[in-house]
Amino acid sequence: MDGPRDPLSSRAWRALTYGVPLAFLAIFFLYPLAAIVERGLFSGGESSALDVITDPVTRDVVWFTVWQAVASTALTIAVAFPATYVLGRFAFPGRSVVRAVVTVPFVLPTVVVALAFLAILPESLERGWIAILVAHAFFNVAVVVRVVGTFWANLDPRVSEAAATLGAAPMRRFVEITLRLLAPALAAAAAIVFLFSFTSFGIVLILGGPRYATLEAEIYNQAVRIFDLRAAAVLSLVQLACVALAVWVTTRLEARLAVRGQLRAERDVLRKPRTLGEKAIVLGGIGGLAVFLGLPLAVLVERSFAVGDGHSLEAYRALARPTAALLATPWEAVVNSIVYAGAATVIAVVVGGLAAFAVAGSGRRSRGTRLFDGALMLPLGASAVMLGFGFVIAFDRAPIDFRSAPWIVPVVQALVAIPFVVRIVAPTLRAIDERLRAAAAMLGASPGRVRREIDLPIVTRALAIAAGFAFAISLGEFGATVFLARPDRPTLPVAIFRFLGRPGEQNAAQAYALAVVLMAVTAVSVFLAERIRLRRGGWI
Amino acid sequence: MLRADDVNVRFDGKAALDGVSLDVGDGEVVTVLGPSGSGKSTLLRVIAGLQRPDSGHVLLDGEDLSSVPPHRRGIGLVFQDHALFHHHDVAGNVAFGLRMRGDAKNEVESRVRELLDLVGLAGFERRSVATLSGGEQQRVALARALAPQPHVLLLDEPLGALDRRLRDRLLEDLARLFEELRVTALYVTHDQAEAFALGDRVAIMRSGRVVQAGSPDGLWARPADEDVARFLGLGNVRDGAIVRPEAVTVARAANREAADGVVESAVRHGPTVRLRVRLASGETLDAAVSALDHPDPGDLVAVTIDPEGIIELP
Ligand SMILES: Nc1ncnc2c1ncn2[C@@H]1O[C@H](COP(=O)(O)OP(=O)(O)OP(=O)(O)O)[C@@H](O)[C@H]1O
Ligand SMILES: [Mg+2]
């Protein structure tokens, strides 16, 4: 027996699992948030918070943010629908591959997605709301296909058949039965897409041109271009309030739509496409999605090789040479990105992992645990730009000055990744068989020993998966990093953005080449994480 | 009149229905009895229009239904596991078919009340179906199917998942309902008691074929073949003939000379006991005897057979 001196004794362990994440959140989330509130509402200045809110520009920005998020959500659902239907109704070879591959755009950095649409859209559509909506649909299609498709594949087809025998025509059946039963999944997916579109930054900044800005983009404009910190702070708070409202509404909606009822195993629901028409639907649904997702990326890759009328590796060779766009060579940006993302992953996995233990470990979900769990999700709602901006105004003098503290970049990236780490690790922890634990305890193992010998090996796998995703998220992180990365140490997304800000074919080619490199590094890290997941099963 | 005419359905090359023909006359209740996997549900799905047959036809009053989609057939179906609408309450479930045919709101309401009364669920209108017991769900499914007054009602093992007592009660209710409403019904089950209690006629299915159809009495009297006989529980097949277990009398034998065999097992079946006797020849013979006084396993017994109880197989 380890006895009372066990370093992982219960009390010490609790202190660690609650203490570290709470301290981290307090310093790096609540303190910057407080700085924003102070700057927005209380500190003196030439304009007041009310002036900012009543400014017609603010009204336009909020209006655009809301309607583009609604329209993006609708477009995403429309675009995802055929493939969702196919995945929800038919068994066909390669079905699980399709399910895995649709997630690729979702983990791509927003900057890459924006560039892919710059590459493929005709010049007239290149910058404007259409480009933004299409890019959002591209980015979020996986959410709808996976969340709704999976749910659909578990809906008992006999409920709809029962409606048929009661005289309901196919369209009526679809609306009154299928759609109604899918509603909770649809609402959940729509809520996610809406939130991502609402807080979209990289895509809007690059594709929106000067005319279209979401709240996120406008916060950046005010803080960095116009240097009106008061306005940026007030807009951050408006954004936070909108997100909180949206989360509240969608949670209520999902609860109201939920239908208690019988779900069936996929193998009882899915059937092979039999008639020629059904085969055409399967092929069309999956093929259409493949073109929608594959073509922009293919064109992006093609453009990175395009030089004048021909193709060459020139843009890639140029990555090693100094450029006027950056205070470093592009190649150094690649190295920076990997180093920063590596450090961010370590932080996210340590802090997020401990938090997951705290969330999952208490057995009963007490009020305190739920609050703690909610607090951990806050950075998600707060949005990346707000975090970056908060860091800039909170950590601008000793002891922490972001200008002289390069570790601040991985910290903010970790903050963005932590909610995902908790979401991946905590369910695994909860699923660990309680009886296994009890058995070990009865055999005389101390709680600390149980944790090391039973929990840890299982958790290691979940942590490895979480690490892969944290790395990918950190690599592509743009909204916060763009505030904090020093000019001589840009990350990949920041370097791409700088290239885009300069005229000329040469700079565009460099941006495309860097985007391809970023896409490749992201793909490799996600692929490694997916391999762990697929090999051992589980999760989503 | 409902008629299935030489219906064939194959799944992955395997026949689920193999030339099935069956008639159900107006106001008649036909039960389909068959073991699991014999194609009973598939037959109902074909008749309801939910499964397209590879060949063959379904006719209603002489009209070929091949090109009529399920929602226009006027054929009701009670599913094997209810398939209730969990997003509607009890009244919403029963009202569904009425709404589909465009009944006025107050008509729908009164008809729903009428049907819930009929199935013994008066006052259940606003209950959520998820909170109902299995038997109550079954009644809702039945009311829902009956509401739009279908030409034919199909029932797929409606009592399958219920416990014995509840089953016996609902069985009586169903028999009464069928009688009262004079419905034309095709009722699928794997339980002989149900099949014989409800059916004006019984069709026996095996491996996708209807092997025999006829009145309950006729079936008992003249099983078409050995398998049907066994399936009906007429286990004694000897030399191309069946010996009904009720026709076998068994008496304890005083000594070895007087004995014809020895009792191997005794299993209680309600008021009777099913004895299995191993004869001197090595064959076994089943006997149904009174449970009040019967030999026990290991007892030596003398056996007599009433010639009335011997059925020659064709
Ligand atoms: N959609 C399907 N795809 C492939 N095979 C099927 C399908 N539906 C039924 N079958 C097969 O057809 C045969 C008949 O099935 P059916 O469901 O009609 O039997 P059943 O008599 O209703 O059985 P049970 O009493 O278990 O309900 C079975 O072998 C079954 O596996
Ligand atoms: Mg069946």
Side-chain angles (χ1 to χ4, degrees):
Chain A
M1 292 231 7
D2 300 66
R5 233 184 287 274
D6 188 337
L8 292 176
S9 77
S10 263
R11 187 158 332 144
W13 178 250
R14 271 177 75 85
L16 200 64
T17 54
Y18 278 92
V20 171
L22 281 179
F24 189 84
L25 272 185
I27 300 172
F28 295 115
F29 180 69
L30 294 181
Y31 176 56
L33 186 63
I36 292 176
V37 172
E38 197 270 339
R39 182 66 61 114
L41 302 184
F42 302 116
S43 73
E46 62 280 19
S47 65
S48 75
L50 205 62
D51 294 338
V52 179
I53 290 178
T54 51
D55 189 324
V57 173
T58 306
R59 207 191 48 218
D60 288 351
V61 167
V62 171
W63 169 236
F64 176 70
T65 309
V66 172
W67 83 250
Q68 67 80 26
V70 171
S72 296
T73 308
L75 182 67
T76 306
I77 291 173
V79 168
F81 184 79
T84 308
Y85 171 73
V86 169
L87 282 178
R89 273 289 159 258
F90 294 107
F92 54 92
R95 188 170 176 278
S96 54
V97 178
V98 171
R99 267 173 55 86
V101 169
V102 288
T103 36
V104 169
F106 190 65
V107 294
L108 281 182
T110 53
V111 178
V112 172
V113 175
L115 245 71
F117 280 92
L118 272 191
I120 195 172
L121 287 175
E123 221 154 292
S124 56
L125 292 180
E126 225 168 53
R127 307 204 186 226
W129 60 269
I130 295 179
I132 292 175
L133 298 198
V134 177
H136 284 164
F138 174 91
F139 189 66
N140 289 310
V141 124
V143 176
V144 178
V145 170
R146 296 216 20 169
V147 173
V148 182
T150 305
F151 196 79
W152 205 336
N154 290 289
L155 272 193
D156 193 345
R158 272 175 298 188
V159 180
S160 174
E161 289 176 351
T165 64
L166 292 166
M171 202 54 212
R172 194 109 192 237
R173 244 139 61 202
F174 179 72
V175 174
E176 286 209 21
I177 308 290
T178 309
L179 216 50
R180 176 60 191 85
L181 294 178
L182 283 176
L186 262 172
I192 297 171
V193 177
F194 178 85
L195 274 182
F196 277 124
S197 306
F198 192 92
T199 59
S200 172
F201 175 59
I203 286 172
V204 175
L205 200 61
I206 293 172
L207 295 179
R211 275 192 51 205
Y212 297 99
T214 51
L215 273 163
E216 288 277 89
E218 189 59 20
I219 294 168
Y220 176 81
N221 280 338
Q222 292 292 344
V224 173
R225 295 193 178 139
I226 302 170
F227 215 70
D228 183 346
L229 298 189
R230 153 67 51 82
V234 173
L235 291 176
S236 297
L237 296 176
V238 170
Q239 151 111 337
L240 196 61
C242 289
V243 169
L245 182 71
V247 170
W248 182 75
V249 168
T250 52
T251 318
R252 293 268 313 230
L253 190 67
E254 278 169 51
R256 278 203 37 190
L257 290 173
V259 178
R260 260 171 63 183
Q262 65 289 55
L263 293 182
R264 297 181 69 85
E266 268 184 21
R267 71 188 133 74
D268 294 339
V269 174
L270 303 178
R271 56 194 183 75
K272 292 192 198 114
R274 247 176 254 121
T275 62
L276 214 60
E278 287 179 349
K279 284 177 183 154
I281 288 173
V282 169
L283 222 64
I286 300 303
L289 187 65
V291 171
F292 179 64
L293 296 183
L295 203 59
L297 298 180
V299 174
L300 173 67
V301 173
E302 189 270 335
R303 288 288 291 271
S304 75
F305 292 107
V307 176
D309 290 334
H311 292 87
S312 81
L313 287 171
E314 180 47 35
Y316 290 89
R317 273 191 225 109
L319 294 182
R321 294 196 289 268
T323 154
L326 303 170
L327 294 180
T329 64
W331 189 247
E332 280 167 349
V334 178
V335 177
N336 289 340
S337 261
I338 291 173
V339 171
Y340 280 145
T345 303
V346 172
I347 299 170
V349 168
V350 169
V351 178
L354 287 172
F357 264 103
V359 169
S362 63
R364 272 171 301 114
R365 305 254 294 148
S366 66
R367 203 187 168 80
T369 323
R370 279 208 305 275
L371 256 176
F372 179 70
D373 196 6
L376 289 170
M377 295 301 127
L378 279 176
L380 256 188
S383 89
V385 168
M386 191 171 158
L387 289 177
F389 173 60
F391 269 47
V392 167
I393 57 174
F395 303 125
D396 61 345
R397 60 182 107 67
I400 302 179
D401 185 343
F402 73 94
R403 281 167 288 249
S404 59
W407 51 264
I408 208 88
V409 172
V411 164
V412 85
Q413 293 177 345
L415 210 49
V416 175
I418 282 171
F420 294 93
V421 173
V422 178
R423 277 285 171 269
I424 294 172
V425 179
T428 312
L429 281 178
R430 285 207 193 93
I432 290 176
D433 194 347
E434 275 296 324
R435 278 169 308 170
L436 204 62
R437 251 187 245 241
M442 276 196 316
L443 293 173
S446 70
R449 180 118 181 233
V450 172
R451 246 175 324 263
R452 277 200 308 274
E453 303 210 341
I454 293 178
D455 293 5
L456 219 57
I458 302 175
V459 170
T460 309
R461 181 171 77 82
L463 285 176
I465 295 165
F469 282 94
F471 189 77
I473 290 165
S474 306
L475 263 184
E477 210 298 312
F478 176 58
T481 308
V482 71
F483 281 90
L484 299 169
R486 288 186 352 201
D488 59 334
R489 287 200 193 165
T491 63
L492 266 170
V494 173
I496 292 169
F497 182 59
R498 300 276 176 252
F499 275 117
L500 282 181
R502 306 189 130 247
E505 211 171 89
Q506 179 70 25
N507 284 315
Q510 292 272 62
Y512 287 128
L514 273 183
V516 171
V517 172
L518 178 53
M519 181 163 75
V521 181
T522 310
V524 168
S525 63
V526 172
F527 174 74
L528 291 179
E530 271 285 313
R531 267 191 58 128
I532 301 174
R533 184 172 89 73
L534 288 181
R535 227 180 29 225
R536 311 289 292 270
W539 194 57
I540 312 192
Chain B
M1 190 183 78
L2 177 75
R3 159 169 285 172
D5 183 22
D6 194 22
V7 172
N8 286 280
V9 173
R10 310 182 71 79
F11 291 119
D12 305 320
K14 210 177 121 269
L17 291 182
D18 188 0
V20 170
S21 297
L22 190 68
D23 285 355
V24 185
D26 290 334
E28 188 184 32
V29 176
V30 173
T31 54
V32 177
L33 177 63
S36 183
S38 55
K40 306 182 297 292
S41 295
T42 307
L43 175 61
L44 294 195
R45 292 176 58 81
V46 168
I47 293 171
L50 300 172
Q51 169 76 49
R52 188 176 283 280
D54 293 320
S55 67
H57 302 276
V58 175
L59 303 122
L60 190 61
D61 298 328
E63 185 205 353
D64 186 351
L65 295 182
S66 300
S67 56
V68 181
H71 64 280
R72 296 225 189 84
R73 290 195 176 191
I75 296 181
L77 174 56
V78 178
F79 284 72
Q80 200 158 356
D81 48 11
H82 325 324
L84 292 178
F85 304 135
H86 281 247
H87 56 295
H88 288 304
D89 57 13
V90 168
N93 272 269
V94 179
F96 192 88
L98 304 169
R99 277 205 296 124
M100 291 307 119
R101 71 178 188 196
D103 282 11
K105 210 169 166 221
N106 54 340
E107 279 172 54
V108 171
E109 259 172 48
S110 64
R111 177 102 177 109
V112 166
R113 205 169 320 116
E114 191 184 314
L115 274 151
L116 288 178
D117 271 347
L118 190 69
V119 297
L121 289 180
F124 274 60
E125 278 90 345
R126 295 276 84 88
R127 284 278 292 275
S128 130
V129 292
T131 65
L132 300 180
S133 73
E136 289 162 348
Q137 293 200 0
Q138 195 49 65
R139 288 158 189 265
V140 174
L142 186 65
R144 179 179 74 173
L146 285 171
Q149 289 154 316
H151 305 301
V152 179
L153 184 63
L154 310 174
L155 303 102
D156 194 351
E157 306 201 29
L159 308 182
L162 307 177
D163 68 57
R164 179 102 238 152
R165 261 196 28 214
L166 190 56
R167 241 160 74 177
D168 290 346
R169 224 182 57 223
L170 285 179
L171 203 56
E172 281 172 33
D173 291 351
L174 277 176
R176 176 180 54 80
L177 261 176
F178 289 166
E179 186 75 47
E180 243 170 61
L181 303 175
R182 319 196 112 272
V183 282
T184 306
L186 190 58
Y187 183 107
V188 154
T189 176
H190 63 256
D191 182 291
Q192 318 171 20
E194 260 174 67
F196 285 93
L198 284 176
D200 298 321
R201 282 192 306 129
V202 178
I204 297 185
M205 278 190 80
R206 197 172 60 221
S207 319
R209 294 165 165 277
V210 173
V211 286
Q212 191 174 7
S215 70
D217 294 345
L219 279 173
W220 280 101
R222 294 245 146 256
D225 62 20
E226 213 179 299
D227 273 330
V228 173
R230 279 188 210 290
F231 191 63
L232 295 178
L234 302 166
N236 302 315
V237 181
R238 331 174 71 209
D239 315 326
I242 294 166
V243 180
R244 294 175 158 285
E246 306 86 61
V248 180
T249 320
V250 178
R252 289 197 184 82
N255 53 42
R256 222 161 245 298
E257 281 71 56
D260 297 309
V262 58
V263 176
E264 268 193 355
S265 62
V267 180
R268 201 176 165 108
H269 276 259
T272 66
V273 164
R274 182 63 58 101
L275 295 181
R276 176 151 292 174
V277 180
R278 170 94 39 202
L279 300 176
S281 62
E283 290 172 285
T284 61
L285 188 66
D286 285 2
V289 300
S290 160
L292 293 177
D293 175 36
H294 63 83
D296 291 310
D299 286 358
L300 292 171
V301 288
V303 175
T304 47
I305 299 174
D306 178 357
E308 294 271 293
I310 298 178
I311 305 160
E312 299 289 334
L313 285 174

